[in-house]
Structure formats: structure tokens, C-alpha cells
Amino acid sequence: QVVLQALPLAPVSVRLDQTASACAMGGGRDSDVGEAVEVTDGGGKWKVPTWQAPVQAVQLALHPDGPLINATRSGYLQKRAGSSKLRWNIRYFELKEGMIRWWRPSLKEQVFLPEIPRAVLMDPRPAPVRCLDLGRMTSLRRTKVKFPYSTRIEVLFDESYKKYRLELRAEKECEIIEWYRILQRFTDETVEREVDKDPEDEAAAQPEAGGL
């Protein structure tokens, strides 16, 4: 009769240290072996090698198009503002640094639609008809119309900033969809700008009229 006797196994910590040493000597990929970390379980504290970097608790979800402050787009759009329901005007729009502004092209340019209107190419560039801060936008609505343009977008701003209702459309469906995709980011993200001083702090620092 043959009696089999089980040999005692080495402690867990010893086996893991041996495995890590073997990997470091060529038994495994050097790039996968990290520093040992301490793990606590019911049996006490022991060390295990880290096979990959731990996931951070808080990570910045980067947008594939980059930071929102770098979002840019320009082109001709048809706009309808205020309470008008029939009047659509062709304007040249520019979105840059979190601001949307537009210029009024000449009648000839509204017909032939050159790549960039002459007013925008002037140096110095004339002031736009309007310039709005998209950081103060409260909502963005998208509506579909069967004819003559399938998609329209409506931009609403904070009433304390501007009581302005801007509705946009384009002759090409892909063009207005790209504008909608960029404007939608301003409802989910914020724009960070660097300024030398806060205007509110400067106003508070100025002495009141008639003071000492």
C-alpha cells in the first residue's frame, strides 16, 4: 500500500513574490509588472503586484473635438429673430471663443454666397450686428419641418442676459446639423476664459462718489 503525503505549500506572499520575480527576469512582460500594493482581506495584509495602473476615481472626459473654448465654425445661415414668423434673413455667422456673432452681407453676396463676405475680410474688421455669449445659453431646441427646410434650431438665452430668441436654418441639411452639434455642447459644458481681473472686483474696489 502506497501512502501519499501532501507537501506543505509555501505561504501566499512567498508564491506571489516568486511569481513577480520570475516575471521581472523575463518570464512575463516587463511593462506589465508594477510596484507591489498592499491588500487587506480577512486573513490580514499581504502584497500583490499591480498588473495595470489603477483607474482614477475622477477622470476628465475629454471631447474628441477638444476643449469647448477651441470650438469654431463659420458660414452662411438663415436666421429669424424676435417674434417674427415670416422674415428670414441671410447672415454670415462666426462661432469663436464661446461667442457667436454675425454680419450682414450685401444683397449681391446674399445671392451668390461667396466663401467669406467682404465685410469680414476688411481690416480693421467692422463690428458685427450682434455678439452673444453662448455660455449664457439656457436651451437649444431642434425642430423638423417637411418643407422647405427639414431642420431648424432655436437658441434661447438667460433672460437676465438677453431677452433674445434666435432661430437658424440652412439650405443644406448637413450644415445645420454641424451647427447643432457644436451648439449642443454649450448646454452640457462650460467655457473657461482667462481674464486679468474680475469686473465685479474692480467695481467694488472703486470708491463711491462723494466718499473720502
Side-chain angles (χ1 to χ4, degrees):
Q1 184 177 3
V2 180
V3 178
L4 299 178
Q5 183 178 2
L7 297 177
L9 296 177
V12 176
S13 59
V14 176
R15 296 202 308 270
L16 290 175
D17 292 340
Q18 292 176 353
T19 304
S21 300
C23 293
M25 297 176 60
R29 292 178 297 178
D30 295 343
S31 59
D32 292 341
V33 179
E35 297 179 357
V37 295
E38 196 173 62
V39 179
T40 303
D41 60 2
K45 294 183 179 180
W46 49 291
K47 294 184 178 180
V48 296
T50 56
W51 302 102
Q52 63 182 13
V55 178
Q56 300 294 333
V58 178
Q59 290 184 340
L60 178 63
L62 300 178
H63 197 276
D65 295 339
L68 188 57
I69 192 66
N70 296 338
T72 59
R73 191 165 186 83
S74 60
Y76 293 95
L77 293 174
Q78 297 183 18
K79 79 169 188 68
R80 183 172 63 177
S83 59
S84 176
K85 296 183 179 180
L86 299 175
R87 187 177 179 181
W88 288 88
N89 301 314
I90 297 177
R91 298 291 183 264
Y92 183 82
F93 284 81
E94 181 186 71
L95 190 154
K96 188 177 181 181
E97 297 179 351
M99 309 291 291
I100 185 170
R101 51 182 68 89
W102 61 87
W103 291 264
R104 179 182 179 180
S106 63
L107 180 60
K108 183 178 179 180
E109 291 174 334
Q110 294 183 32
V111 175
F112 293 99
L113 299 179
E115 184 176 356
I116 301 176
R118 185 179 302 177
V120 181
L121 296 175
M122 295 176 61
D123 189 16
R125 178 188 286 190
V129 178
R130 278 187 181 270
C131 183
L132 301 175
D133 185 1
L134 292 176
R136 306 297 298 273
M137 183 174 62
T138 56
S139 64
L140 178 67
R141 301 175 184 174
R142 176 183 174 184
T143 58
K144 290 186 177 182
V145 184
K146 294 183 179 180
F147 181 84
Y149 303 99
S150 60
T151 299
R152 300 175 183 176
I153 56 178
E154 182 182 15
V155 185
L156 300 177
F157 295 88
D158 186 4
E159 293 185 357
S160 61
Y161 170 66
K162 289 284 186 181
K163 292 184 178 181
Y164 198 77
R165 172 179 171 272
L166 179 64
E167 194 171 1
L168 303 172
R169 70 183 187 185
E171 294 184 0
K172 297 181 179 179
E173 178 73 9
C174 59
E175 182 73 15
I176 195 63
I177 292 299
E178 287 298 321
W179 277 94
Y180 174 77
R181 186 176 64 86
I182 295 179
L183 292 174
Q184 190 179 25
R185 293 184 59 187
F186 287 89
T187 61
D188 302 330
E189 307 175 37
T190 57
V191 179
E192 295 183 358
R193 299 190 183 91
E194 294 183 1
V195 295
D196 296 335
K197 295 182 179 180
D198 190 351
E200 296 182 358
D201 295 341
E202 293 182 354
Q206 295 179 358
E208 298 181 359
L212 296 178

